[in-house]
């Protein structure tokens, strides 16, 4: 019901995080998460980072969830 | 010459002549391209492959190519799929009034270079200019003739149980590149460029290994997945693919993950699906990998007598599942 | 995983019906061929967790009215584009000149509104707990910026009441991983106390097999009712409080109609009155549109898990992914589409 993708945070600027999922990069909203830092892994859904996560075994692996 | 293409360039007068001389003849120049109404070709012996294809792509330039390169690759690769050595091409342009002359030159230059790489000549052409809004910038149609060497016969009907299924590189790059170039989804992937390439040399290389190749198809619109279903149906055989063996660029995988798309259904413009007897498969792949445009060639599955007309995937956990049938417009899946 | 797989494949206990609530689970379970691993006495049934599937035809009709009568630009997730309304789909309306744009995020629709101030931009806000915060964020930003050319057409739903409506449809549930990211796991603890069993499940092969093994072990060992979070690397017990707070500030709960399940009180989310300016229904004064579906279509029964897609008289004949009649066929995540695409005999 909700395609999600785990991705690595590259940088954060003013509530927007640049994320990287195996080379695909996009700016997403980081406004729903506190204390996000570059290097953290997040679950992204519809352009919003919805959770800070433990990276999957193969870091940054596209899961097509 | 003016900076942009105008309606006068398509009116058949001096400006048309100027456009043809300065842009097309300047780049396409070869002994068979004359000022006459049609090219007169020397005698060609043997069976001929003959094909035509129209090209529209938005944007007309993209990482890894432009519509000019694409228009040559498309027709050259269609010929090559029949085992033919591409010999002669023609091209027809429909250009929107106001199109930058500099871009047209760039397109012509790419076409000439790609044709040279593929070992063929552009011997005739046509240019029409349409009013603003009547076409989307530039459309190109190319037609080509190639000679098929003796003892070579490929067709979508010739896949046999026991054959191996090969792709000549990672799948889905062109479709993914265009999706990103349209910039509708705000996604960037630096490493992702179009796979657009002429594959006549790759085909020649494969036939250097063996003449016993059953099917060659270029996986353009609809991607490699669509080709699998077409061949399974035409040859009335089953195809079984190994999910883990299908080469996919990491960036393409990331983009597909974000948008819920399947790389096997994204277009390629420089990838062939090849079906040949298993005993030749390893040698074919080894030979292909020496070519830069086929560096990621791989055996991805086999042809089976079971489940004719269907494509089955062996998943990463060893289970079997159907590859979904291709269907219509690719739409991102989000919610 | 091998252990989990062994537990799943070797189960010989009483027959079990496990409902995967989430459409993405349906899709991944087919794609990974997991159904083929299950012993005969374990049946997976697909639930109502595909927002497109549970949205009525009337919603598409409303969007078409906005596009064709009010010349609004419709921004939508790709999922909705081919869904049939009473007479046509958004794709068919696009061919007639409607301006339909596919977006990845509600925030992209908002950005378009800022870029094209002369056009009215309407975002089709479907989706569950996971997707709602994005819509709320877009509306709140529009309000902060006083953006008058942006609004949303809502059909948002929440899961808790649906679990109650479905509790007799299965022995245990695979709870949706990404809804749980937002909602947290307390709701499942409560359901467990009321006798409803289930586990929160991730989306990789390992995660799905582990979740199924957990359910099967619990039944084998008579540990029912039970709940376990089998997706702890992503789902925290407390969920995402900031997302829930935002949702509560921007939206109110309301009754919602679910295709197949009927009206479930309190299972919908609608914009609060203070955000009425960004509510497309109010802004464009839309009439109530009941929407008509093909009467032979059994999407509703499929969504309750009461029949399989193959039991529907239209399935695979009149209704295919190329020519969908019901929403369960059109959505890539719909049970009918998944059965059709992956379920062939081989």
């Amino acid at each position: 019901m909700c395609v999600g993708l785990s991705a690595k945070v590259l940088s954060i600027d003013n509530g927007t995080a640049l994320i990287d999922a195996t080379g695909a990069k996009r700016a997403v909203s980081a406004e729903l998460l506190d204390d996000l830092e570059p290097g953290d892994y997040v679950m992204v859904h519809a352009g919003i980072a919805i959770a800070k996560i433990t990276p999957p075994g193969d870091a940054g692996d596209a899961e097509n969830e | 010459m003016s900076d942009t293409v105008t309606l006068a360039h398509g009116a058949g007068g001096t400006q048309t002549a100027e456009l043809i001389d300065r842009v097309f003849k300047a780049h396409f120049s070869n002994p068979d391209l004359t000022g006459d109404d049609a090219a007169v070709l020397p005698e060609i012996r043997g069976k001929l492959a003959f094909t035509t294809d129209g090209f529209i792509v938005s944007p007309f330039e993209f990482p890894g190519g432009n519509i000019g390169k694409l228009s040559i690759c498309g027709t050259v690769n269609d010929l090559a799929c029949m085992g033919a050595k591409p010999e002669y091409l023609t091209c027809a342009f429909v250009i929107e009034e106001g199109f930058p002359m500099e871009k047209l030159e760039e397109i012509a230059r790419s076409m000439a270079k790609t044709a040279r790489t593929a070992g063929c000549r552009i011997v005739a052409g046509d240019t029409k200019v349409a009013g603003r809004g009547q076409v989307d910038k530039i459309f190109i149609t190319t037609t080509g003739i190639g000679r098929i060497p003796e003892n070579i016969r490929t067709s979508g009907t010739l896949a046999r149980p026991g054959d191996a299924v090969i792709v000549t590189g990672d799948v889905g790059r062109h479709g993914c590149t265009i999706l990103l170039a349209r910039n509708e989804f705000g996604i960037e992937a630096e490493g992702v460029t179009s796979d657009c390439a002429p594959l006549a040399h790759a085909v020649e290389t494969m036939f250097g290994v063996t003449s016993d190749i059953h099917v060659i198809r270029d996986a353009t619109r609809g991607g490699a997945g669509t080709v699998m279903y077409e061949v399974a149906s035409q040859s009335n055989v089953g195809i079984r693919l190994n999910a883990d063996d299908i080469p996919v660029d990491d960036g393409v995988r990331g983009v597909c993950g974000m948008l819920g798309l399947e790389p096997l259904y994204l277009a390629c413009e420089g990838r062939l699906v090849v079906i040949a007897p298993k005993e030749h498969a390893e040698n074919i792949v080894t030979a292909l990998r020496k070519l830069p445009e086929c560096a990621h060639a791989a055996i991805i599955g086999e042809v089976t007598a079971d489940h004719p007309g269907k494509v089955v995937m062996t998943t990463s956990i060893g289970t079997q599942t159907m590859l979904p049938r291709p269907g219509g417009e690719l739409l991102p899946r989000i919610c | 995983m091998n252990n989990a797989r062994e537990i799943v494949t070797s189960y010989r206990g009483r027959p079990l019906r496990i409902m995967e609530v989430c459409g993405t689970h349906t899709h991944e379970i087919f794609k990974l061929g997991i159904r083929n691993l299950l012993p005969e006495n374990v049946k997976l049934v697909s639930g109502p967790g595909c927002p497109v599937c549970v949205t009525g035809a009337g919603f598409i009709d409303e969007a078409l009215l906005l596009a064709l009568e009010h010349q609004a630009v419709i921004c939508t997730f790709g999922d909705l584009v081919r869904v049939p309304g009473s007479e046509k789909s958004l794709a068919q309306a696009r061919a007639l000149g409607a301006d339909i744009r596919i977006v990845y995020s509600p925030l992209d629709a908002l950005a378009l509104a800022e870029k094209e101030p002369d056009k009215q931009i309407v975002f089709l806000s479907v989706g569950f707990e996971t997707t709602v915060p994005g819509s709320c964020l877009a509306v709140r930003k529009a309000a902060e910026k006083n953006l008058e050319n942006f609004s949303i057409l809502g059909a948002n739903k929440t899961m808790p009441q649906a679990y109650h409506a479905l509790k007799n449809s299965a022995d245990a549930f695979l709870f949706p991983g990404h809804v749980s990211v937002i909602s947290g796991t307390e709701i499942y603890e409560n359901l467990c106390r009321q006798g409803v069993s289930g586990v929160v499940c991730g989306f990789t092969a390992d995660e799905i097999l582990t979740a199924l093994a957990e359910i099967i072990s619990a039944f084998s060992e008579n540990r029912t009712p039970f709940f376990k979070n089998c997706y702890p690397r992503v789902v925290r017990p407390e969920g995402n409080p900031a997302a829930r707070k935002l949702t509560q500030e921007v939206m109110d709960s309301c009754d919602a109609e679910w295709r197949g399940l009927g009206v479930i009180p309190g299972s919908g989310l609608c914009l609060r009155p203070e955000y009425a300016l960004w509510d497309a229904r109010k802004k464009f004064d839309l009439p109530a549109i009941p929407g008509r579906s093909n009467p032979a279509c059994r999407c509703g029964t499929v969504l309750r898990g009461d029949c399989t897609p193959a039991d529907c008289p239209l399935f695979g004949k009149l209704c295919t992914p190329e020519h969908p009649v019901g929403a369960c066929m059109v959505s890539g995540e719909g049970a009918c589409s998944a059965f059709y695409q992956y379920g062939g005999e081989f």
Side-chain angles (χ1 to χ4, degrees):
Chain A
M1 68 219 279
C2 315
V3 174
L5 181 75
S6 52
K8 189 176 180 176
V9 176
L10 298 178
S11 61
I12 300 169
D13 179 30
N14 200 16
T16 298
L18 182 66
I19 55 108
D20 178 319
T22 68
K25 299 187 179 69
R26 196 186 195 280
V28 303
S29 166
E31 291 154 283
L32 299 183
L33 297 176
D34 294 329
D35 309 327
L36 209 54
E37 285 175 20
D40 286 344
Y41 280 80
V42 288
M43 183 57 66
V44 174
H45 170 71
I48 320 279
I50 55 171
K52 200 155 124 174
I53 64 169
T54 310
D58 181 6
D61 196 18
E63 287 164 54
N64 192 22
E65 299 172 2
Chain B
M1 200 160 59
S2 65
D3 294 346
T4 59
V5 177
T6 65
L7 285 173
H9 285 117
T14 50
Q15 292 198 54
T16 305
E18 191 186 45
L19 179 75
I20 290 170
D21 284 348
R22 296 243 189 124
V23 178
F24 299 122
K25 278 196 183 157
H27 291 289
F28 299 167
S29 164
N30 66 70
D32 296 311
L33 177 66
T34 65
D36 291 325
D37 279 352
V40 176
L41 304 176
E43 191 178 23
I44 313 174
R45 288 186 182 277
K47 278 189 292 184
L48 298 180
F50 184 27
T51 188
T52 189
D53 213 338
F55 297 85
I56 59 175
V57 59
S58 173
F60 66 86
E61 304 176 287
F62 43 84
N66 60 33
I67 190 171
K69 182 178 181 186
L70 199 64
S71 72
I72 302 296
C73 293
T75 290
V76 160
N77 294 349
D78 280 349
L79 294 173
C81 284
M82 304 319 295
K85 185 189 168 316
E87 301 270 1
Y88 301 103
L89 300 176
T90 69
C91 54
F93 295 81
V94 181
I95 307 168
E96 186 183 19
E97 178 187 17
F99 191 78
M101 198 60 82
E102 174 201 355
K103 293 291 175 192
L104 187 63
E105 280 219 63
E106 230 171 83
I107 287 168
R109 200 176 301 127
S110 300
M111 292 174 77
K113 186 178 164 200
T114 312
R116 244 189 336 268
T117 310
C120 58
R121 290 174 172 179
I122 298 169
V123 295
D126 179 53
T127 309
K128 297 283 186 294
V129 180
R132 224 169 230 284
Q134 291 179 336
V135 295
D136 183 11
K137 297 186 178 67
I138 182 164
F139 297 168
I140 304 178
T141 302
T142 56
T143 299
I145 293 181
R147 193 176 51 81
I148 304 176
E150 270 179 48
N151 304 325
I152 284 181
R153 185 170 168 242
T154 63
S155 162
T157 60
L158 295 178
R160 292 291 168 263
D163 286 355
V165 179
I166 298 166
V167 285
T168 64
D170 59 310
V171 298
R173 279 241 307 267
H174 179 76
C176 188
T177 303
I178 296 300
L179 190 90
L180 297 178
R182 287 183 185 155
N183 203 20
E184 286 164 1
F185 301 112
I187 303 170
E188 285 181 21
E190 281 160 32
V192 177
T193 57
S194 172
D195 51 27
C196 180
L199 296 168
H201 190 50
V203 168
E204 214 179 324
T205 302
M206 291 194 290
F207 282 116
V209 174
T210 173
S211 59
D212 193 11
I213 293 175
H214 295 166
V215 182
I216 308 177
R217 272 284 161 88
D218 63 341
T220 54
R221 252 184 322 195
T226 301
V227 169
M228 299 300 163
Y229 268 103
E230 284 169 0
V231 173
S233 159
Q234 278 184 286
S235 292
N236 197 32
V237 293
I239 290 180
R240 181 177 293 124
L241 303 178
N242 293 314
D244 287 348
D245 293 338
I246 298 168
V248 181
D249 174 83
D250 277 348
V252 172
R253 207 184 284 283
V255 173
C256 285
M258 256 181 226
L259 298 177
L261 298 173
E262 168 54 63
L264 274 176
Y265 289 117
L266 291 175
C268 311
E269 289 293 344
R271 299 290 179 252
L272 304 172
V273 172
V274 180
I275 296 180
K278 236 173 225 169
E279 60 265 32
H280 303 306
E282 288 288 347
N283 289 340
I284 290 173
V285 166
T286 306
L288 283 172
R289 283 186 178 169
K290 290 179 184 150
L291 307 174
E293 66 271 30
C294 303
H296 300 287
I299 300 170
I300 63 168
E302 61 180 345
V303 178
T304 64
D306 302 342
H307 54 81
K310 289 178 180 165
V311 182
V312 169
M313 188 78 94
T314 302
T315 68
S316 54
I317 56 167
T319 51
Q320 308 279 306
T321 188
M322 286 257 290
L323 177 71
R325 280 178 188 282
E329 180 189 6
L330 282 180
L331 294 168
R333 195 163 55 84
I334 309 287
C335 67
Chain C
M1 175 172 105
N2 285 333
N3 189 28
R5 186 168 176 161
E6 172 68 25
I7 292 170
V8 170
T9 52
S10 63
Y11 176 73
R12 296 290 177 270
R14 75 169 179 90
L16 293 180
R17 264 167 74 89
I18 301 173
M19 177 176 275
E20 86 269 4
V21 174
C22 166
T24 309
H25 278 146
T26 304
H27 186 89
E28 291 301 310
I29 285 168
F30 271 110
K31 188 173 171 186
L32 292 164
I34 286 176
R35 269 187 160 75
N36 305 332
L37 284 179
L38 300 178
E40 259 188 23
N41 49 353
V42 178
K43 289 270 176 288
L44 275 174
V45 291
S46 304
C50 158
V52 169
C53 304
V54 294
T55 302
F59 180 75
I60 300 296
D61 297 346
E62 287 181 299
L64 292 176
L65 192 67
L66 289 170
L68 296 169
E69 303 290 322
H70 296 273
Q71 275 77 47
V73 177
I74 300 294
C75 288
T76 176
F77 294 138
D79 312 53
L80 276 171
V81 172
R82 278 199 292 259
V83 178
S86 297
E87 273 161 20
K88 46 182 168 287
S89 65
L90 293 169
Q92 287 162 326
R94 184 174 56 186
L96 297 175
D99 195 345
I100 313 286
R101 316 258 183 113
I102 297 169
V103 294
Y104 171 63
S105 168
L107 298 177
D108 296 351
L110 184 76
L112 182 69
E114 290 184 273
K115 206 174 112 196
E116 303 197 13
D118 299 337
K119 290 182 176 153
Q120 284 294 331
I121 310 294
V122 180
F123 175 70
L124 303 188
S125 180
V126 293
F128 295 99
E129 283 90 335
T130 327
T131 318
V132 171
S135 293
C136 292
L137 204 53
V139 167
R140 201 178 65 184
K141 284 171 188 276
E144 282 164 7
K145 294 175 179 177
N146 224 347
L147 212 58
E148 289 176 357
N149 66 328
F150 177 80
S151 57
I152 68 170
L153 183 68
N156 292 113
K157 294 180 172 61
T158 53
M159 290 308 297
Q161 294 76 6
Y163 296 134
H164 287 284
L166 289 166
K167 66 183 172 195
N168 297 322
S169 296
D171 297 303
F173 292 89
L174 288 178
F175 291 123
H178 293 150
V179 163
S180 308
V181 163
I182 306 292
S183 66
T185 57
E186 197 188 320
I187 166 182
Y188 308 124
E189 308 276 3
N190 290 336
L191 282 166
C192 182
R193 279 190 280 277
Q194 295 164 43
V196 179
S197 295
V199 301
V200 171
C201 179
F203 297 87
T204 64
D206 284 22
E207 287 165 346
I208 294 170
L209 284 172
T210 302
L212 288 171
E214 180 61 30
I215 289 176
I216 284 167
S217 300
F219 279 102
S220 300
E221 296 159 12
N222 284 316
R223 288 189 279 114
T224 58
F226 59 90
F227 165 70
K228 188 174 177 188
N229 178 4
C230 294
Y231 195 30
R233 79 179 176 87
V234 174
V235 173
R236 306 275 180 268
E238 70 278 14
N240 184 330
R244 288 201 304 275
K245 179 163 174 280
L246 171 69
T247 300
Q248 279 164 14
E249 283 167 7
V250 179
M251 292 204 185
D252 248 340
S253 76
C254 58
D255 299 346
E257 186 175 355
W258 297 54
R259 193 193 281 251
L261 303 179
V263 174
I264 304 181
S267 69
L269 286 169
C270 304
L271 285 174
R272 286 178 170 275
E274 56 266 43
Y275 291 101
L277 281 175
W278 293 275
D279 184 335
R281 282 193 189 88
K282 293 180 180 152
K283 181 173 182 171
F284 296 96
D285 199 18
L286 292 185
I289 304 178
R292 291 188 316 278
S293 305
N294 186 318
C297 170
R298 297 188 69 187
C299 275
T301 326
V302 170
L303 288 167
R304 286 196 302 272
D306 288 346
C307 79
T308 74
D311 297 328
C312 173
L314 305 180
F315 177 78
K317 301 182 185 90
L318 274 179
C319 185
T320 62
E322 290 77 34
H323 301 285
V325 175
C328 299
M329 184 60 91
V330 70
S331 164
E333 303 208 332
C336 296
S337 166
F339 265 77
Y340 185 88
Q341 304 269 13
Y342 291 105
E345 297 289 322
F346 56 83

